[in-house]
């Protein structure tokens, strides 16, 4: 594993920053007015790619603007060679001793106070169920430990299509959903606010290249542009009543929050690790030709309104049973066309211990074992005003590849309109 | 019900044409070269809106081009007032006795021989399961007649998110998928071509306006731009192994074919009909304030390669238990943002009799009762080379509102690559 790459931007040389020269993640931001920029995080700053391109300091020789559109979609569409070219350019101009420091320095915007935007258009969103501990925990609660894992689970990276229109950027408030609810003892369902509102700790993989027919795991890995943290907000009570036989629908359609900085595959390269030895042999099309998971420490905190946050779980992306590359390969088996901008949620990432579970459903064991927060309050599921924050970083000896934060605060459910009242 | 509206385009005045002046559906086409046009079907012709706009014969006073983009998305985005304005304009210039006949006539392209394109961009695709006979038939096959309908079925228009990237226009060949398969007696799954390849007869509703929060059934109905025929191709054996617990995924991701002409809600207005009296009272948010289904005769034919077609089912859209408006209203309950270009599949439309079932799964009762085609061949599921054609029309006394055809031919599965072989 290589060590910290030093930059002339001092704050990028700390072991504490999420954004050393080794990282160089992509984000879209504004500085308080209507102008929106594409940038690269470096220490406490953002390198303004839009302005650099406008002033022709940055010119990748493509003859078209890549960064004048308020989204990284044009860069993603260009493919691997241009991704590499841009990363090399950024590394070269930002490294310690770069002769162009004086030229580049005016293009640094302070990161503090900027407002982040969606860095790409989510064309479709697929959510997986590929964490074994999570699947086992949830299955145990619903069906007992003997039948916890569905029969197909060890053979298929189980996934379902989510709702792209509901994906929002970190910092967006999320309104508790209303929905159809039916308790186990109710004769008929009623319509009302979700009472079991939850987060799911996931990683999101962003597809950067289109598929043509079925792709191998190796090809799938090559198709991935980068990763984000992803909170797949879940209404457990809506889900319980609606999800059979065709899967979760409105329970997962309120919002999915992603962290604002796309951490590229290139930055994560030193942190590759393998999926676990399978308990059942995988079919050849799902076998990994090399390590395709990543060693990324993850944590979730919950902060009640006006109170300090409490870390409620600590886990690691390497807990997954299937990698994003395996999921993407499986996604193409039927001939399903994948496109740049497809977002794949990993599935909830839970470790083996109670303290490493990736959802309130698991942490409070279906609501039966409330958590006590540092403020003294207890929680089974999320309450109005609670802010949930995900953080994640791959950790080297003297640097880390951080993802920034993935934050969302829950607002009270909308009032039920008269025409929907019973 | 009003009668046939007469046009100076003679072929539009026949009781047999799908496209009388009463219809005026929207489609995108080319005439054999690269130029793509937006048009309105009228009898055997297409009124070329793109050329009419280019020559400023058609000017809705918007100051922007609506028809120069090879898609109806700009029209859809404009909303109800412009939809009405365009429909009125088309009706006025095409009606019998119109003083502008000589000006308009040069803008008619023969419909025969044109190639149709997708008329709008499918931003997301949701498929429902809202036909009671279909749900009962499938449930009976899998769980017996006592447990055929899931407990939530009479309360929720059950839906799941499908795959927008796989939606194709009528006439596109569809390649039989490969996938993970596991027979009931197999110990482990294998990877191979789908052996139970099926169509599903559905209607597709196209959302034309964005939602803001939860919408009522009335508001949902107002949001719908128009309807198409929809074939939700299904791999029954892939589905059987993958679909628990999170729903169909690769089984439904190969292709979904839509008919090329968007029939507007305005054209279907005289054919409104109500959903059936519920067997269990619906929650208030799902109650229809008026008739929201349509009386549309539907049929499906299957033609083996080089052989004539056989009509295998005849049914009607009014067999549905839930309307598209109810489905769309339910879709927004969680706050899920709906956008212009959302496509909603009705769910398979099956009548009560054997001859009116909307899928091979039901027609052959899970493969146990083969159908005999006119050619003498038998079918349980679809074979390579089979062409499936849907046709549909709402029928007045002396005219019909037709949808044209929704056609797809099944090509043999792709060869399994070496790296996927066992």
């Amino acid at each position: 594993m290589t060590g910290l790459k030093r930059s002339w931007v001092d704050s990028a040389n700390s072991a504490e920053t999420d954004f050393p020269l080794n990282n160089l993640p992509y984000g879209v931001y504004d500085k308080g007015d209507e102008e929106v920029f594409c940038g690269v995080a470096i220490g406490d700053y953002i390198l303004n790619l839009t302005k650099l391109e406008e002033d022709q300091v940055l010119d990748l020789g493509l003859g078209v603007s890549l960064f004048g559109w308020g989204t990284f979609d044009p860069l993603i569409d260009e493919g691997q060679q241009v991704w590499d070219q841009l990363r090399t350019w950024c590394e070269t101009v930002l490294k310690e001793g770069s002769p162009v420091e004086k030229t580049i320095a005016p293009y640094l915007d302070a990161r503090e106070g900027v407002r982040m935007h969606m860095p790409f258009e989510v064309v479709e969103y697929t959510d997986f169920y590929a964490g074994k501990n999570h699947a086992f925990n949830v299955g145990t609660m619903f069906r007992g430990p003997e039948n916890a894992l569905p029969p197909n689970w060890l053979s298929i990276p189980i996934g379902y299509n989510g709702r792209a229109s509901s994906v929002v950027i970190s910092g967006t408030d999320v309104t508790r959903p209303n929905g159809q609810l039916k308790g186990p003892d109710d004769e008929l369902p009623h319509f009302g606010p979700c009472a079991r509102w939850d987060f799911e700790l996931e990683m999101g993989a962003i597809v950067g290249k289109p598929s043509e027919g079925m792709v191998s795991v190796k090809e799938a890995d090559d198709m991935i542009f980068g990763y984000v943290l992803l909170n797949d907000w879940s209404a457990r009570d809506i889900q319980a009543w609606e999800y059979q036989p065709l899967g979760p629908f409105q329970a997962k359609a309120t919002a999915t929050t992603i962290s604002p900085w796309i951490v590229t595959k290139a930055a994560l390269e030193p942190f590759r690790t393998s999926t676990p030895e399978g308990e059942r042999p995988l079919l050849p099309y799902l076998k990994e030709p090399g390590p395709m998971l990543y060693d990324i420490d993850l944590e979730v905190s919950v902060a009640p309104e006006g109170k300090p946050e409490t870390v409620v779980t600590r886990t690691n992306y390497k807990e997954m049973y299937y990698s994003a590359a395996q999921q993407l390969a499986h996604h193409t088996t039927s001939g399903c066309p994948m496109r740049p901008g497809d977002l794949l949620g990993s599935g909830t990432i839970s470790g083996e211990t109670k303290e490493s579970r990736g959802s309130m459903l698991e942490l409070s064991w279906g609501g039966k074992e409330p958590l006590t927060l540092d403020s003294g309050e207890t929680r089974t599921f999320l309450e109005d005003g609670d802010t949930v924050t995900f953080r994640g970083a791959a950790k080297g000896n003297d640097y880390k590849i951080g993802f920034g934060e993935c934050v969302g605060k829950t607002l009270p459910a909308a009032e039920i309109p008269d025409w929907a009242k019973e």
Side-chain angles (χ1 to χ4, degrees), chain A residues 357-413:
Chain A
R357 294 175 185 160
S359 65
M360 291 300 290
L361 178 71
E362 295 165 87
L363 287 163
S364 74
W365 207 250
K368 291 188 195 133
E369 303 172 14
L371 295 188
T372 302
L373 304 181
D374 293 348
S375 61
E377 296 178 52
T378 59
R379 286 288 180 278
T380 49
F381 292 93
L382 297 170
E383 299 197 0
D384 294 343
D386 284 356
T387 295
V388 176
T389 304
F390 293 180
R391 295 182 183 87
K395 289 173 185 162
N397 290 332
D398 55 352
Y399 75 100
K400 59 182 181 180
I401 302 292
F403 284 76
E405 294 183 343
C406 177
V407 185
K409 176 177 164 178
T410 296
L411 303 184

Side-chain angles (χ1 to χ4, degrees), chain A residues 38 81 119 168 316 332 347 401 410:
Chain A
C38 293
Q81 201 185 325
V168 296
N316 192 294
T332 65
I401 302 292
T410 296

Side-chain angles (χ1 to χ4, degrees), chain A residues 26-74:
Chain A
Y26 300 120
V28 172
Y29 64 105
D30 75 59
K31 299 192 275 181
D33 53 21
E34 288 189 1
E35 214 174 351
V36 172
F37 307 103
C38 293
V40 176
I42 179 78
D44 295 340
Y45 295 86
I46 306 173
L47 185 65
N48 191 325
L49 297 176
T50 303
K51 287 281 180 201
L52 282 162
E53 184 186 60
E54 243 174 60
D55 294 350
Q56 297 174 22
V57 182
L58 166 60
D59 181 358
L60 299 177
L62 299 169
V64 290
S65 166
L66 283 188
F67 308 112
W69 312 98
T71 159
F72 278 94
D73 294 346

Side-chain angles (χ1 to χ4, degrees), chain A residues 64 148 184 216 240 267 274 284 302 311 318 371 385 387 391 412:
Chain A
V64 290
S216 68
S274 292
V302 174
V311 174
K318 70 184 176 191
L371 295 188
T387 295
R391 295 182 183 87

Side-chain angles (χ1 to χ4, degrees), chain A residues 2-26 40-47 49 83-101 104 108 111 262-271 394 398-402:
Chain A
T2 54
L4 172 76
K5 296 179 182 173
R6 296 189 63 84
S7 168
W8 52 263
V9 180
D10 283 342
S11 56
N13 299 327
S14 150
E16 298 311 310
T17 184
D18 273 346
F19 308 123
L21 187 61
N22 307 57
N23 194 346
L24 301 176
Y26 300 120
V40 176
I42 179 78
D44 295 340
Y45 295 86
I46 306 173
L47 185 65
L49 297 176
W83 304 349
D84 292 346
Q85 207 183 335
L86 177 64
R87 184 171 171 82
T88 302
W89 188 88
C90 291
E91 204 175 308
T92 306
V93 303
L94 289 169
K95 74 178 174 199
E96 199 171 57
S98 162
V100 295
E101 176 181 340
I104 296 299
L108 290 180
R111 203 153 47 71
I262 304 175
V263 175
T264 61
K265 213 168 42 186
L268 291 169
E269 206 55 39
F271 303 95
D398 55 352
Y399 75 100
K400 59 182 181 180
I401 302 292

Side-chain angles (χ1 to χ4, degrees), chain A residues 120-180:
Chain A
F120 70 106
E121 187 201 353
V122 180
V123 299
E124 296 195 64
Y125 166 48
T126 309
D127 192 37
F128 286 86
Y129 185 61
K132 183 153 170 265
N133 297 318
H134 171 71
F136 185 80
N137 288 340
V138 172
T140 300
M141 276 183 254
F142 291 157
R143 293 178 294 270
E146 316 75 39
N147 303 306
L149 282 191
N152 53 17
W153 202 93
L154 292 171
S155 297
I156 300 179
I158 298 284
Y160 67 97
N161 299 300
R163 184 71 200 176
S165 68
S166 73
V167 180
V168 296
I169 195 69
S170 177
T172 308
D173 290 338
V174 173
T175 301
R176 176 185 301 272
N178 290 310
Q180 266 204 38

Side-chain angles (χ1 to χ4, degrees), chain A residues 338-366:
Chain A
M338 304 302 292
R339 301 175 291 185
D342 265 309
L343 175 65
L344 309 184
S346 60
T348 305
I349 305 165
S350 291
E352 288 186 10
T353 62
K354 180 163 179 180
E355 296 70 30
S356 59
R357 294 175 185 160
S359 65
M360 291 300 290
L361 178 71
E362 295 165 87
L363 287 163
S364 74
W365 207 250

